[in-house]
Amino acid sequence: MDASAANASTHFVCDSVMDLLLIETVALMSNSGTSTSGTLSTTGLTGDEDREAAYFKLEMLGYRVGMGLTEKATRDRPRFADNLEIVKFICKDFWLAVFNKQIDNLKTNHRGIYVLTDNNFRWFSRMSANSATETAQLAFPHAAFPCGLIRGALSALGVASVVIAEVSNTPQCTFQIKFRT
Amino acid sequence: MYLVIVGTRDNPLYELEVYTTQQKQQQQRDAQGEQKHLNQFIAHSALDIVDESMWGTKEMYLKVVDRFNDHHVSSYITPSGAKFMLVHDAQPGDVRSFFVDLHELYIKVLLNPFTEINGVITSQQFDTKVKGIARRYLSG
């Protein structure tokens, strides 16, 4: 998370510590599903149910954080006139506040579905594995928290939605937002 | 003067009665209970008008939205849909700055991960700070 240096009362957060915290959070959630065995498995994912439970927990974490962050980020700006403005806010101001960059591509079908593409997703930029597909697979749980962030932000602005992440070739990441009307 | 913060489901999150030194007599009268119900009623009936006027402007501060006898209702709405409403008489002082500062305090309360968004605000410090800014900005 960043801050513009112009503001005297700004707080700064250490980027690497934030990265480490998020990595550990994902690992913790993934491992907590195996509590019966009492040992931590190395891969951390022992079954579909565990995976889903971990994903759900991470998403809910992101939800609450997203709501709080939006309150802070919308403080000095005028209110939103329609859904498209809300999504544009997510792409620009919100993404800027969290990742210090904006969303690279926004596509919509004008009927409530928006696809946000980040070509160099900050939290995936230093991840690597043996092959591209394996990296994408292992990186997927890490996209749960950002999905929650987006869903929380939208919810704080009064919009119910479903956010799905797609990680096919890291460091690129797409988020699909479906507005629930 | 009566302040209420209303959530997105028209649920009150925080209420406060504000008196200046000149209103000590009024405070004693209000303590008999009648005025308090009336204040709540006035604020509640103004909610519809706030809902209407919020779509007409992109501003957060909606100024005076409703009048009832000699009570005025000023309103301020945050981007997330929380409404701050102040029932006051004709000379309330600097209501806009009060609302802006109140918005800051409101955000600080919500950033606490243990508070429920759209839930009643029970923080003592929030209460103290709101009383402080009320004393500073509201003089009516």
Side-chain angles (χ1 to χ4, degrees):
Chain A
M1 321 271 162
D2 84 313
S4 61
N7 193 344
S9 66
T10 322
H11 302 290
F12 290 92
V13 174
C14 178
D15 218 10
S16 41
V17 173
M18 191 71 210
D19 267 346
L20 293 171
L21 175 67
L22 290 165
I23 294 169
E24 184 54 30
T25 316
V26 178
L28 173 72
M29 293 301 175
S30 308
N31 290 336
S32 64
T34 62
S35 53
T36 47
S37 65
T39 57
L40 297 174
S41 68
T42 44
T43 58
L45 304 171
T46 53
D48 274 339
E49 268 186 31
D50 287 338
R51 242 197 304 262
E52 277 183 29
Y55 191 90
F56 177 74
K57 276 188 250 187
L58 285 166
E59 217 248 350
M60 288 310 283
L61 273 182
Y63 182 75
R64 181 60 176 88
V65 174
M67 288 182 90
L69 263 182
T70 329
E71 290 282 345
K72 212 165 127 187
T74 54
R75 180 165 59 188
D76 294 320
R77 47 159 305 141
R79 297 186 351 254
F80 301 103
D82 64 5
N83 286 345
L84 185 58
E85 269 196 35
I86 293 181
V87 177
K88 290 209 284 213
F89 161 77
I90 302 274
C91 294
K92 297 194 186 146
D93 301 323
F94 187 75
W95 222 251
L96 206 61
V98 182
F99 301 109
N100 215 7
K101 67 186 283 276
Q102 298 184 356
I103 286 273
D104 298 307
N105 201 339
L106 168 67
K107 288 196 277 268
T108 174
N109 73 348
H110 290 294
R111 259 183 248 116
I113 302 203
Y114 298 84
V115 180
L116 281 62
T117 311
D118 190 335
N119 288 332
N120 191 2
F121 191 56
R122 232 343 227 282
W123 297 340
F124 292 171
S125 58
R126 290 188 195 80
M127 292 187 182
S128 73
N130 292 330
S131 69
T133 42
E134 204 184 325
T135 323
Q137 258 177 357
L138 292 173
F140 184 68
H142 294 257
F145 190 74
C147 281
L149 275 181
I150 300 178
R151 194 167 71 87
L154 290 171
S155 174
L157 297 171
V159 179
S161 58
V162 174
V163 182
I164 303 174
E166 197 189 293
V167 185
S168 45
N169 54 322
T170 52
Q172 190 188 63
C173 189
T174 41
F175 297 96
Q176 195 190 69
I177 304 178
K178 259 195 278 249
F179 278 26
R180 281 205 295 219
T181 47
Chain B
M1 260 184 286
Y2 170 73
L3 166 75
V4 61
I5 300 183
V6 184
T8 57
R9 283 192 296 264
D10 288 348
N11 49 325
L13 309 179
Y14 179 76
E15 293 171 285
L16 178 70
E17 310 244 328
V18 187
Y19 300 102
T20 59
T21 44
Q22 296 128 334
Q23 292 176 331
K24 275 295 177 225
Q25 279 180 334
Q26 189 167 26
Q27 186 173 7
Q28 279 164 4
R29 262 183 286 139
D30 289 358
Q32 289 169 22
E34 298 260 330
Q35 186 63 22
K36 184 162 182 191
H37 292 302
L38 189 60
N39 280 335
Q40 283 185 333
F41 179 73
I42 296 173
H44 190 264
S45 53
L47 276 178
D48 276 343
I49 308 190
V50 174
D51 275 340
E52 262 179 55
S53 30
M54 72 186 246
W55 299 113
T57 167
K58 277 199 182 184
E59 279 288 311
M60 290 194 264
Y61 178 49
L62 298 175
K63 294 183 248 196
V64 178
V65 295
D66 191 24
R67 283 184 191 77
F68 176 80
N69 294 347
D70 59 351
H71 296 286
H72 302 250
V73 181
S74 295
S75 179
Y76 179 101
I77 182 159
T78 68
S80 61
K83 307 176 192 65
F84 304 158
M85 297 174 55
L86 185 69
V87 180
H88 58 82
D89 49 26
Q91 303 281 9
D94 191 359
V95 182
R96 181 183 234 275
S97 315
F98 171 69
F99 277 146
V100 170
D101 276 6
L102 184 62
H103 191 186
E104 291 266 342
L105 290 176
Y106 176 71
I107 292 178
K108 287 195 182 134
V109 168
L110 285 197
L111 284 182
N112 178 353
F114 296 117
T115 56
E116 199 189 314
I117 301 211
N118 234 4
V120 176
I121 299 177
T122 53
S123 159
Q124 274 290 13
Q125 285 147 334
F126 179 74
D127 194 41
T128 320
K129 291 214 177 110
V130 175
K131 287 185 176 135
I133 59 172
R135 242 191 322 255
R136 210 161 97 198
Y137 291 114
L138 302 175
S139 61

